[in-house]
């Protein structure tokens, strides 16, 4: 994801002077465009109410034995956060505290098949954290994602 940001977009695409939510909306649209190719296997839902709020994107598998995903995007706010990593953690915390997985659970997706992804953005910097954390080939927990990978 960061490679795409680095080589395909301008920092000015994310400029804050376009309105309060313009930078977050830009990243939201970028990610939505990147995952639209998954629509044969997943129902991709944007800005839907679930639990005690509204997630940015949820990815519902048509095959309920596959994993589902909830994505929340945040742009670093200098008044609340010092790093893009902290921003990503706050996005993940929002998913967790507002129970965004409620609709996926009602749809029949088991809780252990729901991945919650918090994205932190600052210009071309991208950080993604997940719950549960991604595990590598040796089954060791990773605390960061170099690339967003869907199983």
């Amino acid at each position: 994801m960061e490679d795409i940001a680095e080589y395909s977009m301008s920092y000015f695409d994310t400029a804050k002077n376009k309105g309060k939510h313009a930078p977050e909306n830009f990243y939201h649209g970028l990610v939505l465009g990147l995952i639209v190719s998954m629509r044969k296997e997943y129902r991709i839902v944007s800005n839907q109410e679930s639990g005690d709020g509204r997630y940015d994107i949820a990815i519902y598998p048509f095959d309920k034995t596959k994993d589902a995903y909830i994505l929340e995007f945040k742009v670093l706010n200098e008044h609340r956060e010092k790093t893009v990593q902290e921003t990503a953690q706050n996005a993940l915390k929002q998913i967790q505290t507002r129970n965004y997985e409620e609709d996926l659970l009602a749809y029949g997706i088991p809780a252990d098949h729901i991945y919650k992804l918090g994205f932190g953005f600052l210009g071309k910097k991208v950080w993604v954290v997940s719950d549960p954390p991604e595990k590598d080939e040796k089954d060791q927990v990773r605390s960061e994602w170099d690339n967003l990978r869907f199983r």
Side-chain angles (χ1 to χ4, degrees), residues 25-86:
N25 290 342
F26 170 79
Y27 294 117
H28 184 127
L30 175 66
V31 173
L32 200 54
L34 292 171
I35 63 175
V36 73
S37 65
M38 299 170 59
R39 69 184 181 274
K40 290 181 181 176
E41 295 183 49
Y42 294 88
R43 181 169 63 101
I44 300 166
V45 182
S46 178
N47 288 309
Q48 180 72 36
E49 291 180 3
S50 180
D52 301 320
R54 181 175 45 85
Y55 54 71
D56 285 324
I57 296 175
I59 304 171
Y60 292 71
F62 293 127
D63 176 353
K64 293 180 184 178
T65 64
K66 291 189 175 185
D67 294 331
Y69 304 87
I70 302 169
L71 287 64
E72 185 64 31
F73 310 117
K74 295 285 179 206
V75 174
L76 187 137
N77 179 328
E78 302 89 13
H79 302 291
R80 288 189 305 223
E81 302 136 352
K82 293 183 174 145
T83 66
V84 71
Q85 292 86 349
E86 188 179 352

Side-chain angles (χ1 to χ4, degrees), residues 50-52 70 98-107 114:
S50 180
D52 301 320
I70 302 169
R98 295 189 183 172
N99 303 311
Y100 287 168
E101 74 278 3
E102 195 173 277
D103 280 356
L104 286 164
L105 293 169
Y107 178 68
I114 299 173

